[in-house]
Amino acid sequence: MCGILGYSHRKSALPDGFLENAIRDLYHRGPDDSGEFRSEQMSMGAVRLSIRDVAHGHQPMYSPDGNVVIVFNGEIYNHTELRPELEKEGFTFETNCDTEVVLKAFLRWGTDSFARLRGMFAVGLYVKSERRLVLARDQMGIKPLYYCAQDGEIYFGSEMKCILAHPRVKRNVDHAGLNCYLSLNYVPGPYTLVDGITKLMPGHFLEWRDGTVRISRYVPELRRVPMKISLPEACEELDRLLAASVKEQMVSDVPLGVWLSGGLDSSTVLHYAAKAYPGKVKTFSITFKGRSFDESRFMDEVSAHYGTEHHDFDLAPTADIPDVIQKLAYYSDEPSADAGALPVWFLAEMTRKHVTVILSGEGSDELFAGYLTYQANRYAETARAFPKFLRGAALSAANLLPVSDDKIGFEYKVKRFLQGSLMSPELAHVFWNGTFSEEEKRELYKFADQRPLSEVVNSMRGIGGLEKYLALDQRYYLADDILYKVDRVSMAHSLEVRPPYLDPRIVEFAAQLPEEFKLRGGTSKYILRQLMKDKLPKSVLTRPKIGFDIPIHHWFRAELRPLLLDTLNEAAVKRSGLFDWPAVKRCIDAHLQRKANLGYHLWGLMVLFIWMNEWKIEPASKAELRTAAGSQDAVGSSSLSRA
């Protein structure tokens, strides 16, 4: 696992010491080795976390004639299959690492090589003789890749800090990205929160040649037509695919373990890992002892079932949470507004003391319909049969329910569901897992614009039923929230995380399963439960999904209240030029006075302001403020306290 970066300099040379400093900023991603490449037009660098062929694999790596240079971040699990195929073509190898296979595959098949790679990756290849840079990212977006193309130059990196470091890059807020962030609590690609910096989308490659950029897909969109297959046949095939994926991803020259929540997804990964591993598997968990959402008894039961060497960390409010939130602002580059980043930080910190590689359960929910939002979509179809005024009246009545301190309490679910029932199905789906509605955003944000979010939620035209929402979450929520969060937090601790569910073979198989194999009645991930019913403890199969985050509603009224009020103060909000202070204050007051549970909304705003301060992001200009003032509709009383 590595970090990569690169800068063209056709018009002017890089400042002295710049490349070395930029590489140093990525050392957390690869503390074992680093290297750089310089030419008249392009400079690139890499840091390496040595996982395979530890003694070799130095980057940047060169083709035998020195014409092609590669910097590579990721793991290619089928590199041992590609190697003999390339050897038959006349290629020879000097190392056993996968980077060399990626380089030789590119020399043989060009950009068609990316579709042959099974794994997680972000790669940069520079062809000196053609003055041509090629960037590519794995098809699920497990590994990040940012770029900035301006004035005929291109800058790229595994993290946005690589690009922000360049003196020619301005640090202005991107309003399209921020509009989406305020609705979703994450930034969907290709947007970022900095104007001019873009995410390369999963499954795409970019070619830059003498100042011109071209972007293309290297894999087709998933075929989402249900196959004709019985449930027993599907379970048998899923069993084969999971066993193969986990076994393949357990290959490592350094210590390895499994993240265990005690839920279906991670317990399933552990089941196959225990079958493939000759010794005791190391497992790692976060607990919330004494809280209603603590999962420690399930973790202990699964750990005992497989005889693992188990480690856990209890995340109590006494932990140094404000300090970690500040660190997240640095390592995330963009606001990690998923509150689950906090427990993942402590989990990664503990895990890295014991192993360098971890297997995790990311992706299962998006492949097999594990979230409550998929069930809510169906319930909302029934609710929308009732007149809109009745749904509005029900929402008004729900707003009278007492506010709880539960992480996601009954009243919170009811209010969010009824609000969503008043929206279009696509908008409701992302709203249930998001934060501010379009109405609330217009009151709060001076540059509110519904078009960027509309483009995201309407991007799955032509796909119907449950598959539309699965496709939407796989493209955006999985890549830009879940995988983004895990990558930044794990890499901050030089820890490699591998998600076996996101093997392309499993992804393609899941896309073609009948809907009823995923969501049957009120049972989510039906096929996975059927597959594991005789393998895992019964409690794991029947327990409700809890979710891996923190009791943010309560903590903002208690331990985190000072940080909230210090960050979202009147001076800071007005100085930003982005938000209406009275609307922000209404939001804070409604939460602290227990008129509403707005913890997730406030978390997103708080980490946004911490991030802007950390990275010196420029506030709105006076010209922008005049434009916003001219286009801003008059608003009435706030709906924030009714969320």
Side-chain angles (χ1 to χ4, degrees):
M1 193 58 61
C2 305
I4 63 174
L5 51 78
Y7 311 92
S8 70
H9 35 80
R10 299 165 64 234
K11 300 176 181 178
S12 59
L14 293 176
D16 290 342
F18 171 79
L19 185 62
E20 294 89 338
N21 290 334
I23 292 172
R24 193 175 299 114
D25 286 342
L26 282 185
Y27 275 176
H28 55 280
R29 296 188 73 93
D32 299 328
D33 190 20
S34 65
E36 61 185 56
F37 156 76
R38 297 174 187 265
S39 72
E40 182 181 350
Q41 187 175 31
M42 178 68 64
S43 294
M44 301 195 299
V47 295
R48 185 184 182 213
L49 178 64
S50 301
I51 303 296
R52 295 181 181 177
D53 195 6
V54 173
H56 305 96
H58 176 76
Q59 294 188 43
M61 188 176 286
Y62 299 81
S63 61
D65 62 0
N67 186 47
V68 181
V69 190
I70 183 174
V71 288
F72 174 75
N73 170 30
E75 294 287 343
I76 304 302
Y77 306 119
N78 66 331
H79 75 101
T80 55
E81 299 170 21
L82 294 172
R83 186 180 295 260
E85 188 175 352
L86 289 163
E87 287 174 334
K88 288 179 182 178
E89 298 279 353
F91 290 92
T92 59
F93 290 86
E94 298 179 0
T95 75
N96 291 317
C97 71
D98 50 357
T99 304
E100 188 176 7
V101 173
V102 177
L103 174 58
K104 301 289 173 67
F106 178 76
L107 295 176
R108 172 63 183 88
W109 298 301
T111 55
D112 290 341
S113 64
F114 304 135
R116 292 172 173 257
L117 305 178
R118 187 165 69 243
M120 51 183 184
F121 62 87
V123 60
L125 295 132
Y126 185 63
V127 184
K128 298 179 188 177
S129 60
E130 301 174 2
R131 295 194 169 192
R132 171 185 173 224
L133 174 72
V134 178
L135 305 176
R137 189 179 178 199
D138 69 73
Q139 73 177 70
M140 298 306 293
I142 304 171
K143 291 290 103 182
L145 192 54
Y146 295 86
Y147 70 93
C148 173
Q150 63 177 34
D151 301 326
E153 304 285 10
I154 189 164
Y155 319 129
F156 71 89
S158 294
E159 297 184 4
M160 208 158 63
K161 60 173 61 68
C162 306
I163 301 170
L164 291 173
H166 199 287
R168 291 182 178 271
V169 174
K170 296 180 180 179
R171 303 188 180 198
N172 298 325
V173 168
D174 182 279
H175 293 294
L178 186 49
N179 266 281
C180 292
Y181 171 87
L182 293 171
S183 300
L184 305 172
N185 245 6
Y186 67 90
V187 186
Y191 300 120
T192 71
L193 285 187
V194 180
D195 188 31
I197 301 180
T198 306
K199 298 170 188 168
L200 183 62
M201 292 295 284
H204 285 70
F205 70 89
L206 176 154
E207 289 186 285
W208 174 90
R209 194 192 303 253
D210 279 336
T212 301
V213 170
R214 181 174 69 89
I215 297 174
S216 306
R217 282 193 70 93
Y218 65 81
V219 289
E221 294 281 2
L222 286 171
R223 186 173 182 269
R224 296 183 179 273
V225 178
M227 69 177 87
K228 292 183 179 180
I229 190 172
S230 68
L231 182 60
E233 290 171 334
C235 286
E236 183 178 346
E237 177 64 5
L238 182 57
D239 176 63
R240 184 187 70 81
L241 291 172
L242 281 170
S245 177
V246 171
K247 183 177 181 180
E248 203 170 61
Q249 297 194 24
M250 290 192 75
V251 176
S252 171
D253 295 336
V254 294
L256 176 146
V258 175
W259 274 348
L260 180 64
S261 71
L264 177 60
D265 303 334
S266 63
S267 300
T268 297
V269 171
L270 174 59
H271 169 80
Y272 289 99
K275 289 178 65 176
Y277 193 68
K280 271 192 171 187
V281 178
K282 293 181 174 67
T283 52
F284 304 88
S285 305
I286 286 289
T287 62
F288 295 88
K289 299 287 176 64
R291 302 305 299 266
S292 61
F293 50 86
D294 178 57
E295 302 174 276
S296 56
R297 74 178 182 90
F298 301 108
M299 302 166 190
D300 293 342
E301 187 174 359
V302 176
S303 172
H305 185 75
Y306 289 103
T308 73
E309 180 187 316
H310 189 62
H311 307 264
D312 61 45
F313 177 86
D314 186 56
L315 182 52
T318 53
D320 194 3
I321 291 173
D323 179 62
V324 171
I325 293 172
Q326 188 66 48
K327 289 178 180 176
L328 283 169
Y330 173 77
Y331 286 106
S332 293
D333 289 341
E334 288 188 281
S336 183
D338 184 334
L342 202 58
V344 174
W345 176 279
F346 289 100
L347 178 60
E349 185 177 53
M350 171 188 63
T351 302
R352 189 59 177 91
K353 296 174 183 177
H354 303 273
V355 301
T356 309
V357 177
I358 206 80
L359 268 59
S360 69
E362 278 78 32
S364 175
D365 287 316
E366 293 82 4
L367 296 182
F368 301 111
Y371 296 127
L372 286 174
T373 50
Y374 303 122
Q375 297 182 38
N377 293 328
R378 294 185 173 180
Y379 299 148
E381 290 178 7
T382 301
R384 291 189 181 99
F386 292 90
K388 194 171 184 178
F389 79 89
L390 285 180
R391 284 175 274 147
L395 176 59
S396 297
N399 285 320
L400 300 177
L401 292 172
V403 171
S404 76
D405 279 335
D406 288 344
K407 191 166 66 171
I408 303 180
F410 171 76
E411 47 80 26
Y412 185 85
K413 293 178 184 177
V414 170
K415 293 173 186 177
R416 296 292 289 184
F417 174 77
L418 289 171
Q419 273 187 284
S421 75
L422 300 170
M423 303 173 183
S424 70
E426 294 79 12
L427 197 58
H429 176 76
V430 297
F431 171 76
W432 285 322
N433 213 29
T435 48
F436 294 102
S437 69
E438 289 301 310
E439 178 188 358
E440 293 163 349
K441 199 166 66 176
R442 285 193 296 271
E443 297 172 6
L444 183 84
Y445 179 42
K446 296 179 179 180
F447 304 92
D449 184 351
Q450 64 183 11
R451 289 172 296 180
L453 183 64
S454 295
E455 290 178 7
V456 169
V457 300
N458 294 323
S459 62
M460 298 301 165
R461 291 189 182 94
I463 305 175
L466 174 65
E467 285 302 317
K468 174 192 293 187
Y469 303 112
L470 291 173
L472 188 68
D473 287 345
Q474 288 166 26
R475 178 176 293 181
Y476 299 111
Y477 181 64
L478 177 61
D480 297 315
D481 184 314
I482 302 300
L483 295 173
Y484 160 85
K485 168 185 67 181
V486 171
D487 174 83
R488 291 306 190 283
V489 175
S490 62
M491 285 284 90
H493 296 91
S494 305
L495 178 71
E496 175 175 306
V497 179
R498 300 175 179 177
Y501 287 106
L502 296 181
D503 183 303
R505 297 167 296 188
I506 297 177
V507 173
E508 292 165 13
F509 173 73
Q512 297 178 62
L513 287 174
E515 283 190 7
E516 61 268 21
F517 286 11
K518 302 171 188 176
L519 184 59
R520 181 173 295 195
T523 303
S524 62
K525 293 184 283 199
Y526 186 77
I527 184 174
L528 197 56
R529 295 182 196 279
Q530 289 297 301
L531 171 63
M532 304 306 294
K533 66 181 179 181
D534 297 322
K535 301 178 178 69
L536 294 175
K538 186 177 179 180
S539 61
V540 174
L541 298 166
T542 57
R543 55 169 291 200
K545 186 174 181 64
I546 294 177
F548 193 61
D549 58 14
I550 59 177
I552 195 63
H553 298 314
H554 171 65
W555 282 6
F556 269 150
R557 296 184 182 116
E559 293 84 359
L560 291 184
R561 178 174 177 146
L563 179 63
L564 172 69
L565 296 178
D566 286 347
T567 304
L568 294 180
N569 61 68
E570 181 176 2
V573 171
K574 289 183 174 179
R575 188 167 57 249
S576 77
L578 298 171
F579 297 97
D580 179 72
W581 165 245
V584 173
K585 188 174 187 303
R586 285 195 297 269
C587 187
I588 296 170
D589 291 345
H591 184 79
L592 296 182
Q593 295 169 15
R594 308 181 68 84
K595 295 178 181 178
N597 268 334
L598 299 174
Y600 295 110
H601 303 64
L602 293 171
W603 176 270
L605 286 175
M606 184 185 76
V607 297
L608 172 68
F609 273 76
I610 292 173
W611 168 77
M612 287 194 297
N613 184 63
E614 171 72 33
W615 290 102
K616 305 297 186 288
I617 303 301
E618 292 296 323
S621 68
K622 292 182 179 179
E624 287 177 318
L625 288 173
R626 284 195 296 270
T627 301
S631 61
Q632 188 85 343
D633 294 329
V635 294
S637 61
S638 173
S639 64
L640 291 174
S641 62
R642 305 195 306 272

